[in-house]
């Protein structure tokens, strides 16, 4: 069992090294974009990813593609007024709307993995269907071809998915042949499963990670992953709870 760190920045990666974690389980790249006056280009992204990888503890660095939308809005990408923004146009769904923008990020991550002794992994947020994973695999291949044409070096990365949508969790066994690893996003998974906004004090009490429904769904995911020997990790507030650790 490994204890990994979630990081937003280079400073977070340096802190993770100091406190002794065994790797980076999630680098939230959206904060790089939210703190930028415009949209960071490929070279700017590459520089940040390389610095975080170099400063990270252990041998594993997992970089999540943009998880924008919901409560994290980037005005330059547009913003739709939605009745349920956390269940709407966000995360990987938004990335598919801007393929050139998305491929640019993939290129930067692939280049950051070049000649690196650490294992750099690419993580996709809010995956719902098998077709979404296959679409990203095609975009990764497109990014690799474009880098080859430009004679730019790139490294090999594993491709993983965040399990935040109950539909993906229930059908976990139908997705594992096209992914290399799984990260359970417990915060969103619990609120989607219980139909309760964890940020709303009127209903937040329903977002109980140790409820039978949540534990059964987590067991479904873990059993499916271990059956085919795919690594699975737990992310979110539940992962920091000593009460949840024995389970």
């Amino acid at each position: 069992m490994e204890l990994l760190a979630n990081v937003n920045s280079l400073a977070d990666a340096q802190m993770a090294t100091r406190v002794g974690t065994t790797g980076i389980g999630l680098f939230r790249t959206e904060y790089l974009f939210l703190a930028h006056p415009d949209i960071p280009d490929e070279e700017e992204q590459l520089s940040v990813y390389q610095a975080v990888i170099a400063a990270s503890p252990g041998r594993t660095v997992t970089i999540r593609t943009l998880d924008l939308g919901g409560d994290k809005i980037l005005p330059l990408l547009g913003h739709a007024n939605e009745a349920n923004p956390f269940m709407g146009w966000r995360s990987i769904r938004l990335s598919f709307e801007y393929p050139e923008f998305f491929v640019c990020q993939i290129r930067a991550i692939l280049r950051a993995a070049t000649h690196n002794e650490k294992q750099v992994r690419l993580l996709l947020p809010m995956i719902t269907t098998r077709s979404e994973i296959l679409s990203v695999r095609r975009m990764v291949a497109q990014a690799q071809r474009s880098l080859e044409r430009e004679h730019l070096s790139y490294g090999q990365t594993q491709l993983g998915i965040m399990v935040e949508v109950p539909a993906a969790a229930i059908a976990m066994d139908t997705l594992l042949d096209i992914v290399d690893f799984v990260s359970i996003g417990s915060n969103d998974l619990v609120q989607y499963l219980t139909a309760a906004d964890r940020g709303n004090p009127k209903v937040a009490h329903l977002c109980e990670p140790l409820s039978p429904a949540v534990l059964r769904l987590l067991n479904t995911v873990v059993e499916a992953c271990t059956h085919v020997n795919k690594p699975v990790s737990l992310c979110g507030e539940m992962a920091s709870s000593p009460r949840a650790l024995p389970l």
Side-chain angles (χ1 to χ4, degrees), residues 130 172-180 182 224-225 228 230:
R130 182 181 176 89
M172 195 75 258
D173 60 326
T174 69
L175 308 177
L176 290 173
D177 62 312
I178 54 173
V179 302
D180 299 305
V182 169
C225 291
V228 293
K230 292 289 172 79

Side-chain angles (χ1 to χ4, degrees), residues 29-244:
T29 60
E30 56 271 11
Y31 288 96
L32 165 62
F33 288 73
L34 293 170
H36 198 278
D38 195 351
I39 293 179
D41 62 22
E42 184 176 320
E43 297 302 323
E44 289 177 292
Q45 292 186 57
L46 173 62
S47 177
V48 172
Y49 301 154
Q50 287 175 328
V52 168
I53 291 169
S56 295
R59 294 188 53 81
T60 302
V61 181
T62 307
I63 303 176
R64 184 177 68 185
T65 61
L66 284 174
D67 186 16
L68 292 170
D71 59 346
K72 292 174 288 190
I73 304 300
L74 193 64
L76 291 169
L77 292 183
H79 173 56
N81 290 321
E82 300 178 273
N84 297 296
F86 282 95
M87 300 178 69
W89 189 54
R90 56 168 296 205
S91 298
I92 197 70
R93 302 166 183 180
L94 188 149
S95 294
F96 284 140
E97 290 287 328
Y98 296 92
E100 292 183 4
F101 178 79
F102 189 31
V103 169
C104 176
Q105 182 177 34
I106 293 172
R107 280 171 52 104
I109 294 171
L110 290 174
R111 291 175 64 190
T114 306
H115 307 309
N116 203 296
E117 63 181 17
K118 296 181 180 178
Q119 180 187 58
V120 179
R121 308 194 302 178
L122 184 65
L123 181 62
L124 309 175
M126 205 177 176
I127 288 294
T128 306
T129 66
R130 182 181 176 89
S131 63
E132 290 173 330
I133 305 169
L134 293 173
S135 293
V136 174
R137 286 202 169 277
R138 287 191 291 269
M139 296 173 88
V140 170
Q142 175 189 341
Q144 291 171 332
R145 289 192 297 270
S146 66
L147 290 170
E148 289 166 2
R149 286 195 300 269
E150 298 168 32
H151 304 290
L152 295 172
S153 298
Y154 65 89
Q156 297 299 318
T157 60
Q158 291 190 339
L159 185 71
I161 59 172
M162 289 208 77
V163 178
E164 303 165 282
V165 180
I170 292 168
M172 195 75 258
D173 60 326
T174 69
L175 308 177
L176 290 173
D177 62 312
I178 54 173
V179 302
D180 299 305
F181 66 97
V182 169
S183 176
I184 300 170
S186 63
N187 291 352
D188 275 342
L189 183 62
V190 170
Q191 76 169 348
Y192 291 146
L193 184 63
T194 58
D197 180 358
R198 57 191 170 92
N200 183 340
K202 296 288 188 182
V203 297
H205 66 282
L206 295 171
C207 294
E208 173 49 66
L210 301 184
S211 69
V214 172
L215 295 180
R216 286 180 182 180
L217 192 58
L218 291 180
N219 192 56
T220 295
V221 174
V222 172
E223 283 196 340
C225 291
T226 54
H227 182 68
V228 293
N229 200 31
K230 292 289 172 79
V232 56
S233 59
L234 180 68
C235 180
E237 293 178 16
M238 187 178 183
S240 67
S241 168
R243 290 176 64 218

